[in-house]
Amino acid sequence: MSAKNSWIKTKPDDDFSLNNIPFGIAQNSDKETFVATRIGNTVISLAAMSGWGCFGEELQGKQRVFENRHLNDFIALGKNQTTAIRNTIIDLFSENDDSLKAFMEQPGFMFYNIKEVTMLMPVRVGDYTDFYSSKEHATNVGIMFRDPENALLPNWKHIPVGYHGRASSIVVSGTPIHRPKGQTKPDDVEKPVFGPTRLLDFELEMAFITGRNTRLGENIPVENAEDYIFGLVIFNDLSARDIQKWEYVPLGPFLSKSFGSVISPWVVTLDALEPFRTAGPKQEPEVLPYLQFNGNKSFDINLEVLIQPENQEATTVCRSNTKYLYWNMSQQLAHQTVNGCNINIGDMYASGTISGPDAGSFGSLLEITWKGTKPIELPAGITRKFIEDHDTVIMHAFAEKDGLRVGFGESVTKILPAL
């Protein structure tokens, strides 16, 4: 697939070239919200495009779909329709078609600079599942907290382990998060204590968003799973490690995970990621038939996390890649529904922390600092074991190959003191 060029200028390292065409929800200075896409630093209103008849007569009667505060109804048009819309956008903004170029002279109608809009939550999240799909991450945690000789629990290589999380506290990039409070049980005290977490961590994840509904009792075969996936976002699953350690037995994470997860605002479609398919890790032992698949179901997406103390520069603390995930999205969705669990448009499924084979690719401070025993050094003599108040956590994701680049922008959040 060759790179496509637009008459809207972009740079070679731009996340949002004509090869991407993501979808999100933008709000202008008049508080009007609309479905949008982005090329370079230009945000394009699909509501204005639809009103001008760009998407054909069939969609002109569905104008509200492009004026909503969430993408859910847009996604509900179906993948055939949303793919056709994306292809139309690519054609209209290619360097060979300047039919919409005149609208650049009318600011506030179809085109906005990214600095002129506020990006909102792209979808209304009904349900949320967090998986545990990185073998390297699960192994590191098992070594730290259990038996180093048997780091992975017996079920781990047989099922995509996951849990149902809190959807209401998933927020869009730029939303600050207060340090959570809860019970902890330090090793040197007899009884649990209450207070702000001392071990606040990020978890570097990606999440996919479902694009179709199913009925209760229906399951999604692994070979058809991608038909139900609309696109992906960056997902920072903030975690309070000391609260988690005390509360997780026997039912798993609760307050340690439900205080804030921060996503990037642009949903990147599987169509845009098609050139970046790759083989995932070899799965041994052989998985059960309902999890077996053919072809490349993993994607080569580069990931990066930076930490920025207040009034300091941001420093990269890890680089990883989604290709390290042991369990792919198709397997995750097949497993989620194999018991007949129904899904809805806009549901979100996070990958779990994505760690690679070496310390530079570990996807959490828990691993990078090895439970705080190996602090990382930042500029100006600053060190970190875990996230401090007023630190900002920045996550980037992009795929790049043969002159093509498709990015996700960033997920950014500043940590504020506990209330």
Side-chain angles (χ1 to χ4, degrees):
M1 181 178 179
S2 59
K4 302 179 180 70
N5 295 316
S6 172
W7 50 265
I8 296 178
K9 299 304 180 184
T10 59
K11 300 176 181 178
D13 62 348
D14 202 311
D15 280 353
F16 303 104
S17 69
L18 196 62
N19 301 288
N20 192 341
I21 309 301
F23 297 104
I25 298 294
Q27 183 179 70
N28 62 23
S29 58
D30 294 325
K31 303 300 180 183
E32 298 169 329
T33 59
F34 50 88
V35 176
T37 190
R38 178 176 175 180
I39 301 176
N41 287 324
T42 300
V43 174
I44 303 162
S45 168
L46 271 62
M49 290 186 68
S50 175
W52 196 250
C54 294
F55 303 132
E57 293 182 4
E58 182 182 352
L59 288 175
Q60 279 190 292
K62 300 179 180 179
Q63 187 67 15
R64 64 171 184 82
V65 168
F66 300 100
E67 297 171 350
N68 284 351
R69 194 179 174 87
H70 296 100
L71 287 173
N72 297 56
D73 287 346
F74 173 76
I75 296 171
L77 292 172
K79 189 169 280 194
N80 287 341
Q81 193 73 267
T82 57
T83 296
I85 290 170
R86 179 177 176 271
N87 290 337
T88 295
I89 294 169
I90 291 172
D91 290 341
L92 288 174
F93 290 97
S94 69
E95 58 187 352
N96 299 320
D97 188 336
D98 61 359
S99 56
L100 296 180
K101 200 169 185 178
F103 289 115
M104 291 291 280
E105 306 302 320
Q106 301 180 37
F109 171 61
M110 190 178 294
F111 301 104
Y112 299 83
N113 185 280
I114 186 64
K115 295 179 181 179
E116 298 171 341
V117 299
T118 300
M119 296 307 301
L120 307 180
M121 271 290 292
V123 294
R124 182 178 59 254
V125 184
D127 283 295
Y128 154 56
T129 295
D130 190 24
F131 285 99
Y132 193 47
S133 294
S134 165
K135 181 181 176 183
E136 289 81 3
H137 174 67
T139 299
N140 288 337
V141 173
I143 291 171
M144 278 188 271
F145 292 103
R146 290 191 299 274
D147 176 9
E149 299 301 319
N150 298 282
L152 294 178
L153 291 170
N155 65 347
W156 199 91
K157 289 186 177 181
H158 295 276
I159 62 174
V161 174
Y163 73 94
H164 293 281
R166 182 78 182 177
S168 66
S169 53
I170 299 174
V171 296
V172 73
S173 176
T175 305
I177 299 294
H178 286 275
R179 180 175 295 271
K181 294 179 287 189
Q183 285 193 30
T184 61
K185 174 64 170 61
D187 294 336
D188 58 351
V189 300
E190 182 179 350
K191 296 180 180 180
V193 297
F194 177 81
T197 178
R198 295 180 298 169
L199 308 181
L200 183 58
D201 202 357
F202 63 78
E203 290 193 348
L204 173 59
E205 307 188 23
M206 297 293 289
F208 68 86
I209 296 165
T210 44
R212 292 171 63 179
N213 298 332
T214 61
R215 300 184 306 273
L216 189 65
E218 184 180 354
N219 66 282
I220 299 174
V222 67
E223 62 268 22
N224 298 338
E226 289 186 0
D227 294 338
Y228 293 78
I229 298 173
F230 177 70
L232 286 76
V233 294
I234 306 170
F235 194 94
N236 179 4
D237 191 22
L238 292 164
S239 300
R241 298 299 186 186
D242 43 359
I243 296 174
Q244 181 179 359
K245 181 181 178 182
W246 175 239
E247 75 176 2
Y248 85 98
V249 178
L251 295 182
F254 186 30
L255 304 184
S256 59
K257 297 278 191 172
S258 62
F259 60 92
S261 299
V262 187
I263 68 169
S264 52
W266 295 103
V267 183
V268 175
T269 65
L270 290 187
D271 291 331
L273 294 172
E274 187 64 32
F276 308 103
R277 287 186 181 274
T278 189
K282 185 176 181 179
Q283 296 182 332
E284 293 180 327
E286 185 178 66
V287 298
L288 291 174
Y290 80 94
L291 291 170
Q292 294 174 10
F293 64 94
N294 296 311
N296 291 337
K297 298 293 186 181
S298 297
F299 293 88
D300 184 358
I301 303 172
N302 299 296
L303 309 171
E304 180 184 37
V305 182
L306 301 90
I307 292 180
Q308 183 177 19
E310 192 167 40
N311 300 320
Q312 300 292 330
E313 62 183 277
T315 301
T316 299
V317 296
C318 76
R319 290 185 174 92
S320 192
N321 194 294
T322 55
K323 67 184 179 183
Y324 297 134
L325 287 170
Y326 189 86
W327 298 104
N328 61 55
M329 293 184 293
S330 293
Q331 291 177 307
Q332 291 167 352
L333 193 54
H335 185 67
Q336 171 79 62
T337 62
V338 73
N339 68 339
C341 173
N342 56 317
I343 68 167
N344 293 303
I345 291 168
D347 289 351
M348 194 165 288
Y349 301 81
S351 61
T353 304
I354 304 172
S355 292
D358 57 70
S361 60
F362 292 168
S364 67
L365 287 174
L366 177 71
E367 299 165 88
I368 296 169
T369 70
W370 209 255
K371 290 197 300 182
T373 62
K374 301 176 180 179
I376 55 174
E377 295 185 2
L378 304 178
I382 297 171
T383 61
R384 285 291 183 269
K385 297 179 180 179
F386 290 93
I387 304 170
E388 300 289 343
D389 289 347
H390 308 294
D391 284 352
T392 297
V393 181
I394 305 165
M395 292 185 175
H396 295 148
F398 67 93
E400 196 165 31
K401 178 183 178 181
D402 299 332
L404 287 175
R405 181 180 171 111
V406 170
F408 292 76
E410 58 187 16
S411 166
V412 179
T413 192
K414 184 172 185 175
I415 300 303
L416 303 179
L419 291 173

